[in-house]
Amino acid sequence: MTGHRRVAVVGLGAISKYYLHSIDRLPGWELAAVCDVRESALAPHVDRTPCFQDHRTMLQESDVDAVVVTVPNDVHASVCADALRMRIPVCVEKPLALSLGEGLDLVRLSRAAGVPLFTAFHRRYNDNVLNLLRQTRHPDITSLRVRYLELIEEHIGDDTWYLDPQRCGGGCVADNGPNAFDLVRLFLGDLELVRTNVTRDAGGTDRQAVIELRSAAGVPATVELDWSHPGETKDVEVLFSDGTRLAADMLAGHDGFKSSLWHEYSGILGDFADAITAAPTTTDGGLAALELVDATYRAERRAPAGKPVERADAAVSAGGEK
């Protein structure tokens, strides 16, 4: 593909501004259209960008080379599927889909269309995480921990659908889990679920979870998720065989609320551009993260109330595409 890639952004919620900023500043991208069901969300764009309230109409009437999907989780699958059927490359916010079944269907569509289905895991582009990764060799790691702790109400803006388990796919496991799982995979490769302990609020939403994983090489990892944490803590800690302990604070050096996301979303679009050029026909880990979300919830349902799930009940591999 030569010249600018004409990209459409579907969904103008809290995350869309990071994509729009990156599209505007990165060479090789041109914003071709925006889409949202809300007229109020489209209003800032009407004088400079074609606007649509229906993504199917947008796909039919706009000449686009790629689509960024940042709609609520419960409509990821339908928007992605419609773009893939038209052989348009897709970058979709995590999670890939609301359920594992939907994710598998999207992967099949991607392969049949021969175009990339790219899941956006923005924390893998965090500069502090990448600095830690450069100091790391898989054989030297003896354990790893990822913490993803926040008060969710402070992060969602007007996107209240995050607090609806039917639209979000669950709670902290469904929405923050994929980013955390992807970080563990970035350092350790393929994973299996070992044990999980999920805490739900009075309305049934999972607000905290501690999830123990193990790599194919047997290295243990722990993911700690919390939607009721005062403030914000997001980090990766690695213990090495010589006793050295190194950590990456994803927020360090980025003053201001969510300020790290500006450079992380530029990284997403850079890799998405590479994926379009390479034209792969498999996902990039979105399915593997979704498998771990699914395994965590299934293991929780099988556990006695208040008891963590042991590996004998919960061992599920999450190695990526099938």
Side-chain angles (χ1 to χ4, degrees):
M1 186 179 298
T2 59
H4 284 189
R5 294 177 178 85
R6 291 173 51 81
V7 61
V9 176
V10 182
L12 296 174
I15 296 300
S16 65
K17 64 182 179 181
Y18 303 103
Y19 283 109
L20 294 170
H21 172 81
S22 296
I23 291 167
D24 183 59
R25 68 178 289 272
L26 291 178
W29 291 102
E30 176 186 346
L31 184 63
V34 293
C35 179
D36 199 289
V37 296
R38 301 164 299 170
E39 290 186 4
S40 59
L42 293 170
H45 303 276
V46 292
D47 293 331
R48 59 181 184 272
T49 307
C51 296
F52 298 86
Q53 288 185 273
D54 178 75
H55 74 276
R56 294 184 179 91
T57 302
M58 183 203 73
L59 291 171
Q60 292 168 357
E61 297 183 2
S62 299
D63 178 19
V64 298
D65 303 309
V67 173
V68 167
V69 178
T70 176
V71 293
N73 294 353
D74 61 323
V75 283
H76 280 191
S78 61
V79 177
C80 290
D82 288 334
L84 291 171
R85 290 189 185 103
M86 296 182 68
R87 300 185 183 276
I88 299 173
V90 171
C91 171
V92 59
E93 270 294 292
K94 56 77 193 166
L96 171 60
L98 203 67
S99 70
L100 182 56
E102 288 181 343
L104 289 165
D105 288 342
L106 290 178
V107 170
R108 294 186 189 104
L109 278 174
S110 171
R111 289 175 173 166
V115 295
L117 172 61
F118 185 91
T119 307
F121 296 111
H122 64 96
R123 293 303 182 184
R124 64 162 49 209
Y125 303 97
N126 180 272
D127 50 4
N128 297 318
V129 169
L130 292 174
N131 285 337
L132 177 59
L133 187 63
R134 282 189 283 269
Q135 303 174 63
T136 301
R137 293 178 62 253
H138 284 198
D140 298 330
I141 300 176
T142 57
S143 67
L144 184 144
R145 182 191 69 184
V146 172
R147 294 191 298 177
Y148 219 90
L149 319 176
E150 64 188 10
L151 182 60
I152 187 61
E153 287 82 0
E154 294 179 350
H155 290 257
I156 60 177
D158 295 330
D159 293 345
T160 55
W161 59 265
Y162 281 94
L163 302 177
D164 181 347
Q166 298 303 312
R167 303 197 68 193
C168 184
C172 65
V173 174
D175 198 74
N176 284 6
N179 263 337
F181 296 146
D182 183 68
L183 285 176
V184 180
R185 292 185 77 244
L186 186 66
F187 283 83
L188 297 181
D190 294 346
L191 302 168
E192 67 175 3
L193 178 66
V194 175
R195 181 182 304 172
T196 182
N197 197 357
V198 177
T199 302
R200 296 179 177 271
D201 64 16
T205 299
D206 45 296
R207 299 282 300 202
Q208 291 96 14
V210 177
I211 301 156
E212 297 180 25
L213 306 166
R214 183 168 58 205
S215 75
V219 178
T222 302
V223 167
E224 299 178 16
L225 307 173
D226 194 340
W227 266 11
S228 300
H229 180 76
E232 186 177 11
T233 300
K234 290 170 183 173
D235 57 19
V236 181
E237 183 181 80
V238 182
L239 179 65
F240 297 90
S241 55
D242 64 358
T244 302
R245 191 181 301 270
L246 297 178
D249 181 346
M250 299 176 222
L251 309 180
H254 300 286
D255 298 331
F257 185 62
K258 287 186 174 292
S259 61
S260 69
L261 272 64
W262 299 112
H263 81 278
E264 294 168 2
Y265 276 83
S266 292
I268 286 171
L269 282 185
D271 268 8
F272 183 38
D274 290 343
I276 293 171
T277 301
T281 56
T282 60
T283 62
D284 55 350
L287 190 59
L290 196 59
E291 286 174 337
L292 286 169
V293 169
D294 179 75
T296 299
Y297 283 139
R298 285 192 291 110
E300 181 207 7
R301 288 194 294 269
R302 290 196 297 267
K307 298 290 186 180
V309 182
E310 299 293 340
R311 181 179 182 278
D313 296 322
V316 177
S317 176
E321 295 72 52
K322 295 188 183 303

